[in-house]
Amino acid sequence: MKLIRSHSGDSSQANPAEVMRASEHHQRFIELTLAQRTDANGRAVLDAEWRYIGTLLGARAAEPLDVLDLACGSGHQTLAWAERGFRVAGIDFDRDLLSAGQERLRRAAGDTITARWTCGDATQLPYADASFDVVFNNSLLEHVPAWQQVLSETARVLRPGGVFVMYTTNRTCPVQQEVNHFPFYSWLPDPIQRRVLAWIMEHRRDLVNFTDFPAVNWFTFGGMSGAFRHAGLEPFDRLDLMARRGAGGLRGLLARAMSRSVVLKLPYYFYATSMALYGVRRAGSPIR
């Protein structure tokens, strides 16, 4: 598997809930998260994503869908999905963020829309097999040492033909969104990256937005596509989906040309600040 990974993290780390309870930075992290992830931002992301998600769902896109917002945080995406009339569940391990998400829905819509909220672990999802048509995840795998287990659990809870939408780090791009003002950070050799991150966590927590769980995994499109297949998910990137839906104009023409070859996709992989990958759960795929 051609997965390029840097600073893989410490899987023996203390329980995340205990870390957050003891953290002097957690309240600042909550405040910054709420300021950055607004209702309008959540709606805009889903509006833009629906062209790709709808392409994969086909006729199923017109049906009532069961949606899991995985690592939902403060619920800006949960709100956007619920406003579209879908049955939405949000799960996160941070109780304070979940409370903020519940308040977000109440403020935006009173009792007219609802979501199911769960405080839980993404590596052990508390849902039955084949429970959801869509699993949406924005920025989780880069923070979790056991990221392969998250993929396995995601595939397990998806129905056949269901879609996993995932954003994570892109090691190939020299610009990244995990350590502020630090181009080429993702290209650093693992030992150097470990030292730099340790210094940041001790002296400049603002560079990682005051989180107690900074990004420790850096992925390539090829490596993550292989991980999707191993989990029973057929992977597509945005070039694949633009070509599949027959997008017009110069962008559509370029997408169709580039989608035919991994080599031709390299400029896109270099340009994409973060990785967006889409996986379809195929009928009959074994659950790993």
Side-chain angles (χ1 to χ4, degrees):
M1 184 183 300
K2 296 179 181 179
L3 175 69
I4 300 178
R5 184 176 59 175
S6 182
H7 181 27
S8 59
D10 179 7
S11 59
S12 65
Q13 189 174 19
N15 182 286
E18 295 175 357
V19 172
M20 289 185 299
R21 277 197 296 267
S23 174
E24 63 182 290
H25 303 285
H26 190 56
Q27 184 57 40
R28 187 70 183 275
F29 167 73
I30 295 288
E31 293 169 357
L32 191 58
T33 298
L34 291 173
Q36 293 176 339
R37 303 205 166 185
T38 64
D39 298 358
N41 174 258
R43 294 173 184 129
V45 168
L46 183 53
D47 286 345
E49 283 297 331
W50 190 250
R51 74 189 98 169
Y52 305 113
I53 300 168
T55 296
L56 291 173
L57 289 171
R60 192 173 182 170
E63 302 173 2
L65 299 175
D66 291 299
V67 178
L68 175 62
D69 189 1
L70 179 61
C72 63
S74 61
H76 72 309
Q77 291 294 154
T78 313
L79 172 65
W81 285 94
E83 286 179 330
R84 287 182 175 238
F86 300 127
R87 296 180 292 263
V88 188
I91 184 169
D92 202 281
F93 73 97
D94 190 326
R95 291 187 181 277
D96 292 332
L97 283 177
L98 286 172
S99 296
Q102 292 172 314
E103 178 57 31
R104 183 191 298 272
L105 261 66
R106 282 194 296 267
R107 185 187 67 247
D111 296 326
T112 60
I113 60 172
T114 59
R116 291 182 292 140
W117 304 93
T118 301
C119 186
D121 183 350
T123 66
Q124 298 178 0
L125 294 175
Y127 307 110
D129 296 356
S131 297
F132 298 98
D133 301 291
V134 176
V135 176
F136 184 92
N137 172 240
N138 184 355
S139 304
L140 172 65
L141 297 189
E142 63 269 28
H143 302 284
V144 181
W147 60 269
Q148 296 99 327
Q149 182 63 23
V150 176
L151 286 183
S152 178
E153 280 290 274
T154 297
R156 180 184 66 78
V157 302
L158 271 174
R159 293 174 179 139
V163 176
F164 178 39
V165 183
M166 180 215 66
Y167 309 147
T168 190
T169 51
N170 176 19
R171 169 101 192 209
T172 308
C173 181
V175 180
Q176 46 76 43
Q177 299 172 316
E178 299 299 327
V179 182
N180 301 327
H181 319 301
F182 203 138
F184 300 100
Y185 175 85
S186 60
W187 290 11
L188 293 176
D190 184 67
I192 296 176
Q193 199 177 90
R194 285 177 181 271
R195 290 173 182 243
V196 169
L197 186 59
W199 185 89
I200 287 171
M201 295 301 287
E202 180 70 23
H203 301 287
R204 288 295 306 275
R205 192 69 69 94
D206 59 298
L207 294 179
V208 290
N209 295 329
F210 300 97
T211 183
D212 292 294
F213 300 96
V216 293
N217 301 320
W218 300 84
F219 304 101
T220 65
F221 276 87
M224 186 55 73
S225 294
F228 268 43
R229 293 188 187 96
H230 183 74
L233 301 166
E234 183 178 354
F236 299 88
D237 60 39
R238 285 179 176 165
L239 290 175
D240 297 327
L241 297 181
M242 288 175 67
R244 183 168 175 166
R245 69 187 179 91
L250 180 59
R251 289 186 66 190
L253 181 64
L254 286 172
R256 286 189 290 276
M258 295 171 75
S259 67
R260 299 189 183 105
S261 166
V262 172
V263 173
L264 293 177
K265 286 181 177 181
L266 291 178
Y268 167 68
Y269 293 165
F270 182 83
Y271 171 79
T273 304
S274 64
M275 180 188 304
L277 206 62
Y278 308 77
V280 175
R281 181 81 167 100
R282 289 306 184 194
S285 297
I287 297 176
R288 299 181 183 276

